[in-house]
Amino acid sequence: MNGRRSAILSAISMGLGQLYNRQYMKGILLLLTEAAALVYFIPRLVHDLWGIWTLGDTPSKMVKVGKVYQTVKGDHSIFLMINGLITVLVLALFITIYIMNIRDAYRTGAKREQGIRAATFRESISYVWDRKFPHLLLTIPGLGVLFLTIMPIVFMILLSFTNYSLPQHIPPAKLVDWVGFNTFKDLLTLKSWSRTFFGVFTWTIIWAVLATATCYFGGLLVALLIEQKDVKFKKLWRTLFILPYAIPQLISLLVMRNLFNGQFGPINQYLSYFGFGKLPWLTDPTWAKATAILVNMWVGIPVSMVLILGVLTAIPKDLYEAADVDGASGYQKFRIVTLPFVLFATAPILITQFAGNINNFNLIFLLTNGEPLNGNYQYAGSTDLLVTWLYKLTLNNSQFNMASAIGIIIFIIIATFSIINYRRTKSFKEEDMIQ
């Protein structure tokens, strides 16, 4: 009976159940929490929920007062959306705390029915400090993730269902409206947008596959060569090959951009000395894509090399000795012993590298900036990936709704590929094998 009464009182108002259970300090703190929530929600809850539902109904406008024009402030759709989203998240947190308050009161009341004394405030603090300390420390970063990571993601998703773009729907002069799935429909069906999307999407997938494969197997080749018994000065070779990765990528890519400059780049200058013409490294679409993959190998192979070197040193030597006894060739030892161990240990990293290459903004932006230009594309160049196209749509052309839709598509592609392939790897299925 005490448990039910305590739960009902806590449902009426936070802390009443705790006060009924003679947990006075806890009850007072919960009452203060509810009071603070009421102070926050009363002046803004209805307005913020109305704002996120309607996105406003009165745009800002200029009104002539005498001989002077003055701005009459109206509704700003994006501010209304952000404020509404914050209020919804805070409301969700408050409801969660409210439910926890009811459960706590019920459990304490049920213990009192069994003759167990309710814990004092000091005992509750000691329990949290001793048993729930990790949860306590995780609360602050958890709130940070909620408001600094999850909220921007939700905001981006919401934008994709609006018409927030130039020139017709940019606040505060214009209002933004909810349009449902029209943005996705336009992206996939309108000729100007769909041609760009499918073209950039195709190149993004080709780029991700080639960039991942060349860096991974290039790193595997370099690691195998360094680990050969006849190779001397192994530490020197490892140091030389890791230097491209040790140099900041910004510097490497900008240097590469100057080296491959079609008119004044040193590479074309050297080629001209030997009677070769100047190659369009960054000005021809095909050459620019090949150059991007080549430069990515220079930056990415050292990473794969270091990872695979660690795996090679962990392979039991007995396996190679047994293969020698059986008369296996070098290729057979590589195919039967080395490659399965390397793939087993690095498959999750390989999936991560593929996902990273889909979003490899730095290399494309700093090396080619998505160029050369493509007259058939909408706000995109021939080497643009989905992520660099998204960047241009957002910062250069204010097509925020289209950029948000593309961001959602990128997330779906990467999440689907990563989850499916990771669950199919032996590293996931046989994770106890190497323990």
Side-chain angles (χ1 to χ4, degrees):
M1 195 67 178
N2 285 336
R4 182 176 297 179
R5 287 178 181 174
S6 302
I8 293 173
L9 288 172
S10 288
I12 295 173
S13 178
M14 287 177 60
L16 290 183
Q18 283 74 14
L19 292 175
Y20 176 79
N21 290 324
R22 299 178 182 177
Q23 294 179 305
Y24 300 112
M25 186 61 68
K26 183 189 290 187
I28 291 172
L29 289 176
L30 289 173
L31 282 171
L32 292 176
T33 301
E34 182 174 358
L38 292 174
V39 170
Y40 176 83
F41 286 123
I42 288 175
R44 58 173 56 88
L45 179 61
V46 175
H47 179 268
D48 288 349
L49 293 179
W50 168 84
I52 199 172
W53 180 263
T54 64
L55 298 182
D57 55 14
T58 306
S60 298
K61 58 184 178 180
M62 300 294 293
V63 176
K64 188 175 183 180
V65 180
K67 297 182 178 180
V68 180
Y69 282 91
Q70 295 182 354
T71 301
V72 178
K73 189 175 180 181
D75 298 323
H76 195 296
S77 299
I78 302 305
F79 291 169
L80 290 175
M81 184 187 295
I82 295 173
N83 291 334
L85 186 57
I86 293 174
T87 299
V88 168
L89 291 178
V90 174
L91 180 62
L93 278 176
F94 176 71
I95 292 174
T96 302
I97 296 173
Y98 209 106
I99 293 173
M100 293 172 63
N101 144 76
I102 297 173
R103 292 177 60 186
D104 175 75
Y106 178 80
R107 289 175 179 175
T108 304
K111 288 181 180 179
R112 290 183 63 201
E113 289 178 7
Q114 300 172 7
I116 302 174
R117 179 178 60 84
T120 64
F121 184 71
R122 180 173 294 180
E123 290 173 343
S124 298
I125 294 295
S126 298
Y127 174 79
V128 171
W129 190 262
D130 295 336
R131 303 285 186 87
K132 301 292 183 180
F133 186 69
H135 301 82
L136 184 64
L137 285 185
L138 288 172
T139 301
I140 295 177
L143 292 174
V145 170
L146 177 64
F147 287 98
L148 301 179
T149 300
I150 296 178
M151 193 187 79
I153 292 175
V154 175
F155 174 68
M156 182 199 72
I157 294 173
L158 293 178
L159 282 184
S160 66
F161 295 97
T162 69
N163 55 7
Y164 183 30
S165 63
L166 277 176
Q168 298 91 354
H169 300 283
I170 294 293
K174 303 290 183 180
L175 294 175
V176 175
D177 301 313
W178 295 109
V179 295
F181 288 92
N182 286 351
T183 302
F184 294 90
K185 181 180 177 182
D186 293 343
L187 182 63
L188 299 176
T189 59
L190 284 182
K191 187 175 181 180
S192 57
W193 286 107
S194 63
R195 182 168 50 196
T196 308
F197 172 75
F198 288 111
V200 174
F201 172 78
T202 302
W203 161 238
T204 300
I205 299 300
I206 294 173
W207 154 263
V209 172
L210 293 179
T212 304
T214 52
C215 288
Y216 183 81
F217 290 106
L220 176 61
L221 176 61
V222 173
L224 290 173
L225 292 175
I226 292 176
E227 287 299 305
Q228 293 298 307
K229 294 181 180 179
D230 298 333
V231 175
K232 299 180 180 179
F233 309 111
K234 295 181 184 293
K235 292 183 179 179
L236 174 63
W237 289 113
R238 292 182 190 130
T239 303
L240 288 176
F241 281 109
I242 201 63
L243 280 177
Y245 183 70
I247 298 173
Q249 196 177 83
L250 172 68
I251 297 174
S252 296
L253 294 176
L254 292 179
V255 169
M256 288 290 180
R257 183 170 184 169
N258 288 326
L259 289 176
F260 285 104
N261 186 282
Q263 294 296 325
F264 311 105
I267 293 178
N268 273 345
Q269 295 294 333
Y270 288 131
L271 290 176
S272 64
Y273 294 152
F274 296 98
F276 296 99
K278 294 183 178 181
L279 298 178
W281 297 104
L282 301 176
T283 55
D284 178 79
T286 303
W287 276 96
K289 292 175 181 178
T291 303
I293 293 172
L294 184 65
V295 172
N296 186 68
M297 290 175 62
W298 170 261
V299 176
I301 282 179
V303 183
S304 298
M305 179 201 71
V306 171
L307 294 172
I308 294 171
L309 279 173
V311 178
L312 292 178
T313 58
I315 298 177
K317 302 301 180 185
D318 297 345
L319 296 177
Y320 290 110
E321 294 173 359
D324 290 331
V325 171
D326 292 337
S329 64
Y331 171 74
Q332 289 174 324
K333 287 188 287 186
F334 169 76
R335 183 174 60 85
I336 298 172
V337 179
T338 306
L339 188 59
F341 264 87
V342 172
L343 287 176
F344 180 86
T346 60
I349 298 172
L350 186 61
I351 294 171
T352 303
Q353 288 181 341
F354 179 85
N357 280 319
I358 289 180
N359 282 330
N360 198 337
F361 176 86
N362 289 346
L363 190 136
I364 296 299
F365 183 77
L366 295 174
L367 183 66
T368 68
N369 194 28
E371 298 175 355
L373 299 176
N374 191 324
N376 295 322
Y377 284 179
Q378 190 89 338
Y379 309 117
S382 296
T383 58
D384 266 318
L385 304 179
L386 287 174
V387 65
T388 57
W389 185 33
L390 183 155
Y391 173 86
K392 291 180 178 179
L393 288 174
T394 304
L395 294 186
N396 298 342
N397 302 285
S398 300
Q399 301 293 322
F400 302 104
N401 56 338
M402 284 294 178
S404 300
I406 294 169
I408 294 173
I409 293 173
I410 293 174
F411 169 77
I412 293 173
I413 293 171
I414 294 177
T416 303
F417 172 85
S418 300
I419 293 172
I420 292 176
N421 284 277
Y422 178 70
R423 293 180 65 86
R424 294 177 62 183
T425 60
K426 289 186 177 181
S427 303
F428 176 79
K429 295 179 181 179
E430 305 171 11
E431 59 182 349
D432 296 331
M433 174 180 169
I434 58 175
Q435 294 180 357

